Amino acid sequence: MISDADRADQMGQATREKLKQFIARIERLEAEKAELAADIREVYAEVKTFGFDSKVLRKCVSLRKKEPAERAEEEALLDMYMDVLED
Amino acid sequence: MISDADRADQMGQATREKLKQFIARIERLEAEKAELAADIREVYAEVKTFGFDSKVLRKCVSLRKKEPAERAEEEALLDMYMDVLED
Amino acid sequence: MISDADRADQMGQATREKLKQFIARIERLEAEKAELAADIREVYAEVKTFGFDSKVLRKCVSLRKKEPAERAEEEALLDMYMDVLED
Amino acid sequence: MISDADRADQMGQATREKLKQFIARIERLEAEKAELAADIREVYAEVKTFGFDSKVLRKCVSLRKKEPAERAEEEALLDMYMDVLED
DNA sequence: TCGGAAATCAAGACCC
DNA sequence: GGGTCTTGATTTCCGA
């Protein structure tokens, strides 16, 4: 089956409108996402003014996303590798 | 200078609270950001059900994002040339 | 599946050697890469002694890098459209 | 003093040649640098086929670049923050 | 559908 | 101190 959308040069007006609406929705959502990213950057900047280490804080956030088991696993592996390499 | 925040075992209760609040804010913002990302994925999925090619659509969106940036960059180069040639 | 490499304390001597060799290779390649970066910086410095503006030169180089990429990208989009429209 | 290079529209042929040569040298060096980056990626890919965890390996390489003292410092701070946040 | 490779983007380091 | 470079993370794309 070949939909209207598969035939750009035959696109009906309704289909063209639909396409524009999708693009508009996506771009609006992406704009909101970009704003949130900016907000997050702002918080990290504020965090610094309180004397916290933002790099370490970022690591905290990322560690908290992971399961503790997974976290321990990776650390153990890292220690093993470092141990092999240390001499 | 070593701030209170740099030495957790000397952290006052207020500072500890502050730290928790910052993390909470960041994690909330990141959760919202993740939701938007999910929404965007959803739109692309819906787009497909209308017979549009989501890959093409993604490329369109990304090109629309880049074009203004490129124009700005070329203008910047032009400005630099003008600057070099002026006086 | 858990490979030998995933369990360092069970790592045979051969595997430990392998790990060391990989790290050595990577660190050597990274050192070479760093040297090239230094060489490039040097050229830009030399460029200045000839009266050229290194900032402008950098921008030129970066634009020259991007232009083929952009062209390729636009062509890719065009190809996708053609693909959608063909059959 | 205004050098030849400062007046692009008055550039003598020799100066133009010099400029082209500089660009050529820079682009060649950057190409070599890009190749090394590709080589490094390749090694990490090969590493995986031996059962090593390339992500952890990357971390090893980056840790080995840092001073042990610095490393310990960051880890201590991380532990403190995580401790504050864990309840 | 999922995992891995690659591209893209933001953040930190570094040099001027 | 501004700007570039590099690195690390996120996202996207592809193959199994």
Side-chain angles (χ1 to χ4, degrees):
Chain A
M1 170 263 195
I2 294 175
S3 72
D4 282 351
D6 286 346
R7 289 283 183 200
D9 52 355
Q10 301 174 9
M11 259 190 216
Q13 189 55 31
T15 304
R16 289 171 176 276
E17 271 316 305
K18 204 73 199 152
L19 181 55
K20 279 192 205 171
Q21 282 169 21
F22 276 129
I23 297 272
R25 268 176 73 193
I26 289 165
E27 291 187 338
R28 191 176 55 74
L29 289 169
E30 292 205 342
E32 287 176 37
K33 187 154 148 294
E35 275 199 44
L36 281 172
D39 290 347
I40 291 168
R41 268 198 303 283
E42 223 179 298
V43 176
Y44 277 114
E46 191 188 350
V47 146
K48 266 192 214 167
T49 69
F50 280 78
F52 296 108
D53 184 322
S54 70
K55 185 159 144 272
V56 175
L57 223 49
R58 276 176 197 277
K59 185 154 274 294
C60 285
V61 170
S62 107
L63 282 177
R64 283 161 61 88
K65 275 184 209 164
K66 293 183 194 175
E67 288 303 311
E70 187 187 354
R71 215 187 295 171
E73 176 90 10
E74 278 191 13
E75 220 169 298
L77 201 49
L78 180 62
D79 289 345
M80 293 178 199
Y81 285 1
M82 289 304 282
D83 190 57
V84 168
L85 297 171
E86 84 185 346
D87 38 35
Chain B
M1 169 262 196
I2 294 177
S3 72
D4 282 353
D6 285 346
R7 292 283 169 259
D9 49 357
Q10 300 171 12
M11 266 192 212
Q13 189 55 32
T15 304
R16 296 167 76 93
E17 272 316 305
K18 205 73 199 154
L19 179 55
K20 283 191 199 174
Q21 282 168 21
F22 275 129
I23 293 280
R25 268 174 74 193
I26 289 165
E27 291 186 338
R28 192 175 52 75
L29 289 169
E30 292 207 341
E32 286 177 36
K33 185 155 152 289
E35 276 200 42
L36 281 172
D39 289 348
I40 291 169
R41 266 196 304 280
E42 221 179 298
V43 176
Y44 277 114
E46 190 187 350
V47 145
K48 266 193 216 164
T49 69
F50 280 78
F52 297 109
D53 183 321
S54 71
K55 189 170 144 219
V56 175
L57 221 50
R58 276 177 197 276
K59 194 119 211 140
C60 286
V61 170
S62 110
L63 279 184
R64 281 163 60 90
K65 216 186 302 186
K66 265 180 219 166
E67 267 150 30
E70 283 162 26
R71 225 169 307 145
E73 205 165 10
E74 274 164 31
E75 250 172 73
L77 181 60
L78 191 59
D79 286 350
M80 286 195 280
Y81 280 144
M82 294 304 288
D83 193 55
V84 167
L85 296 173
E86 101 192 345
D87 41 324
Chain C
M1 167 260 196
I2 294 176
S3 72
D4 282 354
D6 285 345
R7 291 282 169 260
D9 51 355
Q10 301 172 12
M11 265 192 212
Q13 189 54 31
T15 304
R16 296 167 76 93
E17 273 315 306
K18 206 71 199 154
L19 179 56
K20 284 190 198 176
Q21 282 168 21
F22 275 130
I23 293 280
R25 268 174 74 192
I26 288 165
E27 291 185 338
R28 192 175 53 74
L29 289 169
E30 292 205 340
E32 286 177 36
K33 186 152 146 301
E35 276 200 42
L36 281 172
D39 290 348
I40 291 169
R41 246 178 288 127
E42 224 178 297
V43 176
Y44 277 114
E46 192 187 348
V47 145
K48 268 194 214 163
T49 71
F50 280 78
F52 296 109
D53 183 323
S54 70
K55 188 170 145 219
V56 174
L57 219 50
R58 275 177 197 275
K59 195 113 208 145
C60 286
V61 170
S62 110
L63 279 183
R64 281 164 60 89
K65 214 186 302 183
K66 265 177 218 169
E67 266 151 29
E70 284 162 26
R71 221 169 310 145
E73 207 165 6
E74 275 163 32
E75 245 172 80
L77 181 62
L78 189 61
D79 285 351
M80 286 195 280
Y81 279 142
M82 294 304 288
D83 192 55
V84 166
L85 296 173
E86 100 194 346
D87 39 328
Chain D
M1 169 263 195
I2 295 175
S3 73
D4 283 352
D6 285 346
R7 290 284 184 199
D9 51 357
Q10 300 175 11
M11 260 190 215
Q13 189 55 32
T15 304
R16 287 170 177 278
E17 271 316 306
K18 204 71 198 154
L19 182 55
K20 279 194 204 169
Q21 282 168 21
F22 276 129
I23 297 272
R25 268 175 71 192
I26 289 165
E27 291 187 337
R28 192 175 53 75
L29 289 169
E30 293 206 341
E32 287 177 37
K33 188 146 111 18
E35 276 200 43
L36 281 172
D39 289 348
I40 292 169
R41 267 198 304 281
E42 223 179 299
V43 176
Y44 278 113
E46 191 187 351
V47 145
K48 266 193 215 166
T49 69
F50 280 78
F52 296 106
D53 183 322
S54 70
K55 186 159 141 274
V56 174
L57 223 47
R58 275 178 199 276
K59 185 154 275 293
C60 286
V61 171
S62 108
L63 281 178
R64 283 161 61 88
K65 278 185 205 164
K66 291 184 193 174
E67 288 304 310
E70 188 188 353
R71 216 186 295 171
E73 176 89 9
E74 279 190 13
E75 220 169 298
L77 201 51
L78 181 62
D79 288 347
M80 293 178 198
Y81 285 0
M82 288 305 282
D83 189 57
V84 168
L85 296 171
E86 82 185 348
D87 38 35

